[in-house]
């Protein structure tokens, strides 16, 4: 997947108990080949960065509601401010949950309709390619991506901002079918952005399928999109630092 | 244990689970009578669970050495050299008794405990596997235990962020009251960062780090894990600990940072027997002593006695021995991870484990006396009545082979485990190159291009019928599982689950199993680097099957070469590698279809195993073999059905087998080094030629293609749509 990253700089946020932070760091740093820093939950400011990744897994054990404690850490104030200024923020799985809990993305993620943790590959259909995270895809393209979560059942904010649906769960041919909705998510939502499109939350894990040795490689589309957009914008993403 | 109604008077040694003669031995070692605290520590450390007193002499016969073994039995984990400056640490452990009375937390803390064994040696945990046994899944209590154990493993493993990549589950009435929960963990470390559990250097400070100490788990090792179950066992639920995977995750990160610094001398986890075990083992391994003041141990609740502090089995705690003068570095690391690190004492040179309470000595015992000084017994053994075996005439040949195959595939022992492993995060860490459901899990090693393969296997039914031969089959099965993904088997960790060692028949089977396992591991070149023994798995005289479980690890030089069990492509040739036929003795067919548990158990030909394993590995490494699956439970017919179900597009096959006396034996017989492999037509010649050179039988038996599995042997036929096979396989655990 090695891409010309054009000087783009990434940050991976680490909360106590984060466990996909190292996976994201590996894919960005070693597969994409971009400079990447870990940023701890206590940080008041972000380092110089073009894209912030909130990794998946768990944070603070998630004994309460997934993401509820992490959303109130000092670094999330910095992430919120970065997002408001148009900075790119990608929340994966637990990162999506944290973004919703922090009010940076609308809606909430409830416990899966079947009440169990669930880890397997699924298919998603790309609905909107006019964002920095999906611009390398085509509308209607089907991606095979793995999920691993207990709380991925998305519920919208009925009286306010709805955001933009970027991906929906589907069958292998892209067909909408409740049998292929792995968690009961409303409207089959798998990935969502804010109205501006600079903050995306997604339940599937693109970092788990970006290398051929692990089988599937569709996750690379997300990372390639981010880098391509940055290059096309003349290396002028919103930058902190 | 005294209950309210039982007012009989017990002796001090009985209260701590020791015998009169053991008490006398304590008095000799101390040259005086022990005080109650000291006796409590002996009761714990000399319990079956901690001292291996019934098993030690037998375990000494197991082969433990190979040029690549860096650390063998006696340490927290076995460690082997992978080359490229990397070391692989691994171990399996049981958490049977706690899981029987509190399945969720029992299983969860089993995961937590084995993880600590791995990161204690400086290795980052990279994978977990589980071997589970339960009663009949239709029984409501079994259902409660089964679902509880699975959710406990899922809760802890997922949260801590270590993938559960494989395992095995069997159901049999023999495990109804005593389910088995064996958990294996693997970890990777730079070779030069390995840490030993040793307290060397007099004057070096000793820290307890991680969670605070509470009253949970007191007597877990001695009175829960070292006795059979009775009516009172249920009341021992407070002896089961509660797991906190979030804190464990912090502890992993802190310990990784700690072992990466040179401020540390030794690290030991606090598992069974808590602080008592960690202190006495680290001291005695180094030939030193240790002084600990219990008033310095951070407590979860007030008013705990020294006895309770020393016996507590609170989870997520570690003992750290640092270099004198480097205390600040240790404290800073744990502070960064928001964990407590309390300096509780220091290493001494006199060999005594000395416990202080606010500066006053309350116990003083030679550390060696608690550990290596524990008694070791040659328990009496008696051979049980041999299994009479079955006669073919007793079992009519089935008319409808399609129905038999569907019945077998949908049986809880043979059906898909998807429902279970999808509750486990098997991908976190992004190293899983072969997902659960294959013969062995494969993890890529970043940087080197290598792959680590691992499988856990056990077979209580075979060991019940013929313990020695059964154990050989268990080792051979793991060897085949690793070879089937293309990995060279390297080493073994074992977990030996048995009933009471005080019964001569049980002890006889134990000795036979160890002998069979030793012979097999020697012959197959896979030394045993450690493990665990779990006795007293019986309730009211009802014993479990003798159930040795092994975890075998192996290496692929090129991880991208590993192959899955499912057929790869239309038109590929299907071959049987290793040749030979199976037999029905001890088979799942006999168990499921005829309802018989009877031998004779298949023999294991080690020379043939090595040849077939090598031929399979070479065929995979050269890229000739595109799928491989060992023929095991359910025989060739079930292996074929699985290869069809597991192929990405559910490809069928057309197979022609030689006719024999009995079609059911040809189709469902088990045993022998047999691999079902598939190869592209253009690779066929090279594969056949290389196998001939290696002296390995290899026969083309059919071709991949279509949407039906069609198998013919003589006039008898199986002819089923693959979709029906999938449906039968997927519903078995519901």
């Amino acid at each position: 997947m090695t891409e010309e990253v054009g000087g783009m700089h990434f940050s991976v946020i680490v909360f106590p108990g984060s466990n996909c932070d190292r996976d994201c760091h590996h894919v960005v740093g070693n597969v994409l080949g971009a400079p990447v820093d870990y940023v701890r939950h206590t940080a008041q400011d972000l380092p110089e960065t073009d894209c912030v990744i909130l990794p998946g897994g768990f944070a603070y054990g998630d004994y309460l509601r997934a993401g509820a404690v992490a959303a109130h850490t000092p670094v999330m104030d910095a992430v919120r401010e970065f997002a408001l200024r148009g900075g790119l923020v990608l929340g994966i799985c637990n990162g999506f949950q944290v973004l919703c809990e922090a009010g940076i993305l609308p809606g909430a993620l409830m416990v899966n309709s079947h009440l169990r943790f669930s880890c397997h590959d699924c298919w998603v259909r790309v609905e909107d390619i006019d964002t920095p995270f999906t611009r390398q895809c085509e509308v209607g393209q089907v991606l095979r991506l793995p999920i691993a979560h207990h709380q991925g059942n998305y519920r919208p904010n009925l009286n306010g901002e709805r955001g933009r649906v970027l991906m929906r769960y589907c069958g292998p041919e892209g067909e909408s079918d409740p049998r292929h909705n792995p968690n009961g998510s409303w409207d089959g939502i798998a990935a969502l952005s804010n109205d501006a499109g600079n903050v995306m939350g997604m339940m599937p894990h693109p970092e788990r399928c970006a290398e051929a040795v692990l089988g599937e490689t569709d996750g690379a589309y997300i990372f390639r999109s981010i880098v391509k957009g940055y290059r096309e914008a003349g290396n002028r993403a919103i930058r902190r630092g | 244990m005294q209950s309210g109604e039982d007012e009989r008077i017990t002796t001090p040694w009985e209260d701590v689970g020791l015998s009169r003669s053991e008490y006398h031995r304590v008095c000799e070692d101390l040259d005086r009578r022990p005080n109650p605290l000291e006796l409590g520590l002996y009761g714990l450390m000399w319990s079956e669970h901690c001292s291996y007193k019934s098993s030690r002499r037998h375990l000494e016969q197991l082969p433990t050495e190979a040029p690549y073994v860096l650390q063998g039995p006696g340490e927290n984990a076995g460690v082997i050299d992978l080359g490229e400056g990397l070391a692989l640490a691994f171990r399996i452990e049981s958490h049977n008794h706690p899981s029987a009375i509190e399945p969720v937390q029992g299983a969860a803390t089993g995961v937590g405990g084995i993880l600590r064994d791995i990161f204690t040696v400086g290795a980052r945990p990279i994978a977990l596997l589980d071997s589970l046994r339960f009663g009949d899944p239709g029984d409501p209590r079994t259902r409660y235990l089964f679902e509880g154990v699975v959710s406990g493993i899922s809760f802890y493993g997922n949260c801590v962020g270590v993938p559960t990549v494989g395992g095995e589950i069997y159901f049999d009435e023999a495990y109804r009251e005593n389910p088995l929960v064996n958990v294996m963990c693997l970890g990777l470390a730079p070779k030069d960062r390995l840490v030993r559990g040793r307290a060397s250097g007099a004057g070096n400070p000793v820290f307890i780090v991680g969670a605070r100490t509470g009253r949970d788990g007191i007597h877990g090792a001695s009175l829960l894990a070292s006795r059979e179950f009775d009516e009172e066992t249920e009341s021992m639920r407070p002896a089961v600990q509660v797991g906190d995977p979030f804190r464990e995750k912090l502890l992993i990160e802190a310990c990784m940072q700690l072992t990466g610094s040179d401020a540390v001398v030794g690290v030991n986890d606090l598992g069974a027997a808590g602080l008592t075990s960690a202190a006495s083992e680290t001291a005695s391994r180094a030939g030193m002593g240790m002084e600990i003041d219990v008033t310095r141990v951070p407590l979860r609740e007030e008013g705990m006695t020294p006895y309770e502090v020393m016996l507590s089995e609170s989870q997520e705690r570690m003992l750290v021995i640092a270099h004198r003068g480097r205390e600040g570095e240790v404290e800073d690391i744990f502070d960064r991870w928001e964990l407590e690190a309390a300096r509780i004492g220091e290493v001494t040179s006199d060999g005594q484990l000395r416990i202080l309470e606010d500066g006053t000595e309350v116990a003083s015992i030679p550390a060696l006396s608690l550990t290596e000084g524990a008694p070791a017994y040659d328990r009496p053994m008696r051979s049980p009545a041999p299994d009479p075996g079955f006669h073919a005439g007793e079992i009519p040949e089935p008319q409808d082979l399609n129905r038999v195959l569907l019945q077998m595939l949908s049986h809880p022992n043979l059906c898909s485990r998807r429902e279970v492993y999808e509750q486990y995060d098997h991908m976190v860490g992004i190293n899983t190159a072969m997902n659960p459901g294959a013969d062995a899990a494969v993890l890529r090693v970043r940087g080197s291009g290598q792959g680590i393969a691992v499988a856990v296997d056990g077979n209580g039914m075979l060991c019940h019928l013929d313990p020695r031969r059964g154990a050989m089959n268990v080792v051979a099965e793991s060897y085949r599982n690793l070879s089937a993904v293309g990995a060279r088997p390297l080493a073994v960790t074992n977990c030996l689950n048995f009933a009471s060692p005080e019964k001569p028949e049980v002890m006889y089977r134990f000795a036979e199993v160890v002998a069979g396992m030793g012979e097999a591991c020697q012959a197959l070149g896979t030394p045993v680097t450690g493990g665990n023994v779990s006795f007293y798995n019986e309730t009211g005289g009802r014993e479990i099957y003798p159930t040795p479980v092994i975890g075998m690890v192996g290496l692929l030089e090129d991880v991208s070469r590993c192959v899955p069990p499912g057929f790869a492509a239309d038109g590929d040739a299907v071959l049987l590698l290793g040749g030979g036929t199976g037999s029905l003795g001890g088979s799942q067919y006999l168990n499921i279809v005829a309802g018989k548990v009877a031998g004779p158990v298949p023999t294991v030909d080690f020379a043939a195993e090595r040849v077939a394993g090598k031929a399979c590995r070479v065929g995979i490494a050269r890229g000739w073999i595109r799928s491989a699956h060992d023929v095991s439970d359910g025989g060739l017919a079930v292996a074929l059905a699985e290869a069809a179900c597991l192929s990405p597009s559910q490809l069928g096959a057309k197979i022609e087998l030689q006719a024999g006396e009995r079609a059911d034996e040809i189709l469902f017989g088990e045993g022998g080094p047999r691999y079902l492999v598939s190869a592209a037509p253009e690779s066929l010649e090279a594969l056949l030629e290389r196998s001939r050179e290696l002296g390995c039988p290899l026969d083309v038996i059919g071709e991949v293609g279509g949407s039906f599995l069609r198998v013919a042997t003589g006039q008898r036929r199986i002819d089923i749509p693959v979709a029906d096979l999938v449906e039968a396989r997927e519903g078995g655990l519901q």
Side-chain angles (χ1 to χ4, degrees), chain A residues 43-64:
Chain A
Q44 307 273 351
D45 295 298
L46 296 175
E48 189 170 300
T49 198
D50 303 299
C51 179
V52 169
I53 298 180
L54 295 163
F58 285 69
Y60 288 92
D62 286 330
Y63 297 152
L64 186 55

Side-chain angles (χ1 to χ4, degrees), chain B residues 223-529:
Chain B
L223 297 185
L224 181 57
S226 296
R227 292 200 318 190
E228 61 268 44
F229 281 179
D230 53 31
E231 305 76 44
E232 283 178 27
T233 308
E234 195 71 11
S235 71
M236 292 199 64
R237 190 165 289 148
V240 180
Q241 313 86 343
V242 176
D244 179 356
F246 169 47
R247 197 180 300 269
E248 179 104 333
K249 169 67 178 166
L250 299 178
L251 200 52
I252 291 176
E253 296 306 327
C255 287
M256 287 299 103
Q257 207 177 334
L258 181 76
T259 51
S261 81
D262 58 358
V264 64
V265 174
V267 181
N268 212 93
D269 66 302
L270 270 67
L275 190 50
T276 307
S277 167
S280 56
E281 279 178 9
T282 49
S284 67
R285 281 194 202 117
M288 302 298 278
M290 192 178 285
E291 190 173 273
I292 286 173
D293 193 326
V294 291
T295 41
R296 296 208 212 151
V297 175
L299 299 179
R300 201 181 291 157
E301 47 200 316
E302 283 178 23
M304 285 178 68
T305 63
Y307 184 75
E308 288 170 324
V309 174
M310 292 306 294
L311 265 65
S312 166
E313 290 186 12
S314 290
Q315 299 288 292
E316 292 91 23
R317 300 179 301 159
M318 307 281 273
L319 196 71
V320 173
I321 299 104
H323 284 291
R324 191 162 33 166
R326 311 284 295 272
E327 293 85 350
E329 288 169 60
V330 171
E331 284 159 2
D332 285 349
I333 288 172
F334 286 94
D335 194 45
R336 177 185 165 85
W337 293 99
E338 301 179 3
L339 292 168
E340 276 185 283
R343 191 174 162 177
I344 58 169
E346 61 179 42
V347 179
T348 58
S349 56
D350 63 358
Q352 290 290 114
L353 174 64
R354 199 171 296 110
I355 315 294
L356 310 179
E357 185 179 21
D358 207 9
T360 308
E361 181 176 301
V362 290
S364 180
I365 304 175
L368 261 176
S369 162
L370 284 173
T371 56
E372 283 169 46
Y377 298 124
D378 281 314
R379 298 257 192 214
M381 298 195 277
R382 192 183 318 124
S383 165
D387 160 55
F390 82 103
H391 303 290
E394 297 170 37
I395 300 152
E397 266 208 71
Q399 292 307 307
D400 184 349
L401 292 170
N402 284 351
R403 200 183 55 76
V404 171
L405 179 57
L406 291 172
Q407 181 191 355
M408 301 219 3
L409 285 177
S410 61
H411 190 275
N413 282 349
L414 297 179
C415 70
S416 164
R417 271 75 181 107
R418 185 191 305 277
E419 188 188 318
V420 172
Y421 66 70
E422 286 190 349
Q423 295 181 57
Y424 305 147
D425 189 338
H426 48 263
M427 302 175 187
V428 59
I430 52 171
N431 294 319
T432 314
M434 183 79 76
N435 283 335
D439 291 50
V442 179
L443 298 140
R444 56 103 174 251
V445 181
R446 282 186 215 167
S448 75
Q450 296 169 311
I452 295 165
V454 54
V456 290
D457 289 288
N459 193 324
M461 190 168 66
L462 289 189
C463 293
H464 164 72
L465 294 170
D466 184 336
R468 184 179 289 245
R469 221 185 257 179
M472 291 176 179
N473 272 283
V474 168
V475 177
E477 172 63 22
S478 264
Y479 183 89
R480 293 170 202 152
N481 280 332
L482 261 55
S483 299
V485 297
R488 186 165 59 94
L490 291 176
V492 158
T493 178
N494 65 5
C495 193
L496 306 172
N497 307 276
F498 285 77
S500 168
E502 295 162 39
K503 291 185 175 170
E505 288 83 1
V506 173
M507 210 52 224
Y508 173 84
R509 287 183 167 128
F510 179 82
E512 285 287 294
V513 159
V514 171
M517 182 177 287
E519 192 181 332
C521 287
Q522 186 76 49
L524 296 175
T526 53
V528 181
T529 61

Side-chain angles (χ1 to χ4, degrees), chain B residues 119-137:
Chain B
F119 67 82
T120 288
V121 302
R124 177 177 283 279
I126 56 163
L128 291 161
L129 298 93
D130 314 282
S131 174
L132 310 176
R133 298 290 184 280
F134 300 96
D136 175 358

